[in-house]
Amino acid sequence: MAHHLARGLLVLTAFSVSGCVAFSPDSGMTAVAELTGQTINKDVAFVRTAESAAAVDARVRQLLSRTLTADTAVQIALLNNKGLQAAYNELALAETDLVEQSLPPNPVFAVSRITGNGASEIERQVVGDILALATLPFRSDIARERFREAQLRAALATLRLAADVRRAYARAVAGNEMVGLLTDAKATAESTAQLAVKLGETGSLNKLDQAREQVFYAETTADLATARQVAASAHERLARLMGLWDAGLDFRLPDQLPPLPRRPQALPTIEADAVAHRIDLQIARLELNALAKALNLTQATRFVTLFDLAGMTRRTQEPEGAPFRERGFDVQFQIPIFDGGEVRVRQAVESYNFAFNRLTERAVNVRSEARDAYRVYRSTYDIASHYQREIIPLRKIITEEMQLRFSSMQVDIFALLTEARQRLASLRGAIDARQRFFLAQADLQSVVNGGYAPVAGADSPTTVAAAAPAAGGH
């Protein structure tokens, strides 16, 4: 009987091995590339060899050789960001768990030998975990759900990085544009302050007006220093997201943000699209499905958590007489006297209920986030477009008319300078409005597909506040 039991264990194990999962050539990255390609249309790479690392480095250097656009910055980050590579490593680790859970437990072979007074006894055992073999298909199915969840998490990390890069790019370029604007304004303010000093020395300008011109120069100088600090920090954040080392920190950015699109996107079904496509919701659904299967498995094995079957052979040699063999089997199982599995079942039930409530909450929040992101997108577009179509052209007309009146001696130099301050405030407001639009555009893309993760302080402008026009006149 022991011989048949041992053979049965080997046959059952061989049958289980036939359904085992093998390692994939790409560690599941094909699914990640398909998920992210539908949204951002960029290449992703899991760098695992020296050859692939060299190819990525060459591609990054090629992209850095020209002035960066938002798309090239995203592509560099997807290839070069080490945090994203670590997320892909987690995906590879999840595949090892999948393969491990698909393998049947190894049988245990034991040998013991006892001698004394001329007699000896040799015993051999082959022990198999029958419960683990019986539940192998269920555990393997749960592991597949977990691996699919890990693929979605890797895709989510990819999409969130792309959105973060777009936000950082908008802030960095807007910072450069603000620095350029304030640099010119500082030069004008400095000339005006020097003129006010000379006029004050001749008695043509009182102390109050002198102080107004000097404080404008001082405030513009402070604003420029602040803008440079903001631009430098935005530049550094973009460099971090792109994973650049010393050699790539001198990348070139454009001097201005790109123009607004001709018309905003119309997304009447944004709530339904977000619920259907949000990857974090898909992860929550898979988590709930895996917990449901784990609950069923826990309930099925509630009373039996240990069931080992061993085939045994024993050879006994007495001092006198011929040796003889004995065969048999050994069964071990746990008697549920004190623990009937109620604790494990209750834990599984509450874990499922917890995941269900979290999923429901997440679905409610997703709809709200989608509505809010589109509202912000449309409002920032309208505001930036208003600056572009109305305020800036009107400011240009006013400046030209003031210059004509100054040439004809109808207004003095200080009235012209007052108008220049007001125009400066409008230009700063226009830069900030366009920056807010591109940040809202990145949030809108993320809220539909990539899993919304608003950055702390995202609502705060990265530019310094526009200076108010000086009170009074000359």
Side-chain angles (χ1 to χ4, degrees):
M1 181 178 292
H3 178 69
H4 291 303
L5 286 172
R7 179 182 297 176
L9 283 173
L10 293 175
V11 170
L12 183 57
T13 302
F15 178 75
S16 301
V17 170
S18 64
C20 293
V21 177
F23 286 103
S24 61
D26 62 349
S27 300
M29 282 297 298
T30 299
V32 176
E34 291 175 353
L35 284 169
T36 57
Q38 297 170 3
T39 302
I40 57 177
N41 195 26
K42 294 289 183 294
D43 297 329
V44 295
F46 187 13
V47 182
R48 308 179 70 178
T49 63
E51 292 77 10
S52 59
V56 165
D57 184 65
R59 178 83 183 280
V60 169
R61 290 181 181 276
Q62 178 189 11
L63 294 173
L64 288 172
S65 63
R66 53 182 182 268
T67 302
L68 290 186
T69 64
D71 286 334
T72 54
V74 169
Q75 184 61 82
I76 291 171
L78 295 183
L79 296 175
N80 204 46
N81 185 282
K82 300 308 178 185
L84 184 61
Q85 292 298 311
Y88 295 160
N89 290 131
E90 291 181 348
L91 174 60
L93 289 173
E95 188 181 39
T96 64
D97 293 336
L98 170 61
V99 174
E100 182 182 26
Q101 292 299 322
S102 69
L103 295 174
N106 292 323
V108 178
F109 180 72
V111 178
S112 62
R113 183 173 184 272
I114 301 175
T115 60
N117 295 328
S120 64
E121 182 178 277
I122 300 176
E123 181 178 285
R124 301 178 181 87
Q125 293 187 41
V126 178
V127 185
D129 189 343
I130 301 301
L131 182 63
L133 285 173
T135 59
L136 180 62
F138 304 99
R139 292 186 290 107
S140 181
D141 192 24
I142 294 172
R144 286 188 180 89
E145 296 282 349
R146 298 296 187 189
F147 179 62
R148 176 60 177 167
E149 182 181 334
Q151 287 178 313
L152 291 176
R153 291 189 185 280
L156 180 62
T158 304
L159 294 177
R160 283 184 172 173
L161 175 62
D164 287 343
V165 171
R166 291 189 181 277
R167 296 185 189 101
Y169 179 87
R171 290 190 173 98
V173 177
N176 287 349
E177 188 172 358
M178 185 62 68
V179 168
L181 177 65
L182 290 176
T183 299
D184 294 340
K186 180 189 174 184
T188 302
E190 184 178 11
S191 300
T192 304
Q194 292 174 355
L195 176 62
V197 171
K198 293 180 180 179
L199 292 176
E201 292 174 351
T202 62
S204 301
L205 194 67
N206 58 46
K207 289 186 177 180
L208 175 61
D209 292 334
Q210 290 182 58
R212 283 173 177 167
E213 302 306 326
Q214 291 170 356
V215 76
F216 176 68
Y217 170 62
E219 289 173 347
T220 304
T221 302
D223 286 349
L224 176 58
T226 302
R228 284 173 174 166
Q229 181 271 319
V230 171
S233 296
H235 187 280
E236 286 296 338
R237 173 162 176 77
L238 182 59
R240 290 196 301 271
L241 290 173
M242 292 192 297
L244 299 180
W245 199 251
D246 293 344
L249 293 180
D250 57 346
F251 57 87
R252 298 192 303 274
L253 291 174
D255 296 329
Q256 296 181 343
L257 287 168
L260 296 176
R262 303 182 67 176
R263 60 181 59 88
Q265 300 180 59
L267 302 174
T269 61
I270 186 173
E271 294 179 46
D273 292 341
V275 172
H277 299 118
R278 277 279 288 263
I279 292 183
D280 53 348
L281 273 183
Q282 296 180 43
I283 292 173
R285 294 187 190 105
L286 283 176
E287 175 71 18
L288 188 66
N289 192 31
L291 287 173
K293 293 179 179 180
L295 174 59
N296 293 335
L297 179 60
T298 301
Q299 291 174 335
T301 60
R302 172 176 180 173
F303 298 105
V304 180
T305 58
L306 173 65
F307 187 19
D308 291 344
L309 177 63
M312 303 169 56
T313 64
R314 181 179 299 163
R315 182 181 183 277
T316 304
Q317 174 70 58
E318 299 289 347
E320 298 177 356
F324 61 93
R325 292 182 178 275
E326 299 173 292
R327 295 182 177 87
F329 66 92
D330 177 62
V331 177
Q332 295 185 27
F333 59 89
Q334 188 180 71
I335 302 175
I337 297 177
F338 304 107
D339 183 4
E342 182 179 357
V343 174
R344 292 188 297 113
V345 172
R346 182 64 65 87
Q347 289 174 339
V349 169
E350 293 304 324
S351 296
Y352 177 84
N353 292 336
F354 174 83
F356 175 79
N357 289 323
R358 285 297 190 191
L359 173 60
T360 305
E361 179 197 31
R362 180 75 278 187
V364 172
N365 292 346
V366 161
R367 291 175 63 89
S368 175
E369 290 167 0
R371 292 192 301 268
D372 186 58
Y374 186 71
R375 178 190 60 80
V376 173
Y377 167 79
R378 280 306 307 265
S379 63
T380 54
Y381 178 85
D382 292 340
I383 294 170
S385 179
H386 183 70
Y387 267 98
Q388 182 174 290
R389 290 183 291 104
E390 301 290 340
I391 297 177
I392 299 303
L394 287 174
R395 279 295 176 193
K396 182 179 179 182
I397 293 174
I398 293 173
T399 300
E400 292 173 351
E401 291 295 323
M402 290 293 291
Q403 289 175 346
L404 289 175
R405 283 163 174 74
F406 175 74
S407 300
S408 61
M409 306 293 290
Q410 297 181 33
V411 296
D412 61 12
I413 181 64
F414 296 104
L416 187 65
L417 292 174
T418 300
E419 168 53 30
R421 296 177 194 174
Q422 295 172 349
R423 184 170 183 269
L424 173 63
S426 297
L427 290 173
R428 295 170 72 175
I431 294 173
D432 184 64
R434 275 188 294 134
Q435 177 190 219
R436 286 178 178 272
F437 166 75
F438 285 109
L439 294 176
Q441 187 179 55
D443 288 343
L444 183 65
Q445 294 173 352
S446 180
V447 80
V448 175
N449 295 305
Y452 191 52
V455 180
D459 292 333
S460 300
T462 60
T463 57
V464 292
H474 300 278

